[in-house]
Amino acid sequence: MVIIDSSKYIRSMELFKQESLKKRTEIYFLHLIKDPRAQIISFIKNRIRKNKPNNMANIFLLFRRWDINHRRLELFLKSNNFRYKKVNYEELCLDHKKTIEDIYAFLNANQPIQNIKNFNKNQNHLYAGNRIRLSNLDTLEIKYDYSWFNRNQWLLPYLLFLMIKRIKK
């Protein structure tokens, strides 16, 4: 069985670790990382859907939270000696066949790539995270969202974020 938890919550990982120890199963983590600029536009769109404000300070804090969360997650995975693989969201979307083959190799799995198109059916359980988990999985396809290229809400907060990160080093 494969459990997909796209939430990136450390508490979820701790629970998975406890369960794997009880059942004496191996646990592998895939750390999916999306370009923060694209991620921020996704957050902004989500906030608009929920009628929440999107000011410059909120957007800057989203960049900061993205950075902290990914660093904290990686530190947690390393400090617990988990088997994990970083998976780049852009590579998954733009060259999903190779990326999925790399994931299978990491998992020491032998499933042929032609069965990948059904990887959302029956044998998996989406635990938490992305709202797409509630969609009809049979109609989903992996594709890259280029919409952030045409939006500039991320630009100034991102530059400020990079400057502050550089100063802190």
Side-chain angles (χ1 to χ4, degrees):
M1 176 170 74
V2 175
I3 297 173
I4 301 172
D5 172 15
S6 62
S7 67
K8 298 180 180 64
Y9 294 132
I10 290 175
R11 180 69 185 130
S12 297
M13 292 180 187
E14 289 169 342
L15 293 172
F16 293 140
K17 179 182 178 182
Q18 291 170 9
E19 277 301 305
S20 73
L21 292 173
K22 283 184 204 173
K23 296 180 179 182
R24 296 179 187 229
T25 57
E26 293 184 53
I27 188 165
Y28 297 80
F29 289 98
L30 299 175
H31 181 186
L32 183 63
I33 301 176
K34 186 176 187 178
D35 182 306
R37 297 165 297 183
Q39 183 84 35
I40 296 308
I41 292 300
S42 179
F43 282 134
I44 289 171
K45 287 182 195 176
N46 198 27
R47 291 177 67 86
I48 289 169
R49 254 191 308 278
K50 294 177 180 178
N51 293 318
K52 292 185 177 182
N54 282 307
N55 60 42
M56 197 71 67
N58 286 344
I59 297 169
F60 174 77
L61 291 174
L62 289 172
F63 275 113
R64 190 167 182 273
R65 186 175 76 188
W66 180 95
D67 183 53
I68 290 169
N69 287 346
H70 283 287
R71 285 190 290 122
R72 185 180 294 151
L73 179 63
E74 187 162 356
L75 179 62
F76 175 80
L77 292 168
K78 283 181 180 177
S79 66
N80 283 281
N81 296 317
F82 285 127
R83 285 183 217 93
Y84 77 97
K85 176 178 181 51
K86 286 185 183 180
V87 178
N88 181 284
Y89 169 81
E90 289 74 19
E91 289 173 7
L92 176 63
C93 292
L94 299 172
D95 191 3
H96 61 271
K97 183 177 177 183
K98 181 190 179 312
T99 304
I100 291 173
E101 286 173 346
D102 290 347
I103 290 170
Y104 273 108
F106 165 71
L107 298 173
N108 296 317
N110 297 323
Q111 185 166 352
I113 199 68
Q114 60 267 23
N115 292 338
I116 294 300
K117 77 177 201 177
N118 296 324
F119 78 100
N120 279 324
K121 291 185 178 179
N122 301 325
Q123 75 260 34
N124 297 322
H125 173 71
L126 282 117
Y127 173 74
N130 196 312
R131 64 188 161 78
I132 289 177
R133 74 186 185 282
L134 305 173
S135 302
N136 177 1
L137 298 176
D138 293 334
T139 61
L140 291 179
E141 63 180 289
I142 300 171
K143 60 183 179 180
Y144 186 70
D145 180 4
Y146 291 94
S147 66
W148 72 273
F149 287 0
N150 302 320
R151 303 188 60 170
N152 63 5
Q153 293 102 320
W154 59 267
L155 185 57
L156 189 57
Y158 183 66
L159 293 173
L160 179 61
F161 169 74
L162 291 177
M163 287 172 43
I164 290 172
K165 258 188 98 159
R166 189 174 307 155
I167 290 169
K168 286 174 73 176
K169 287 183 181 181

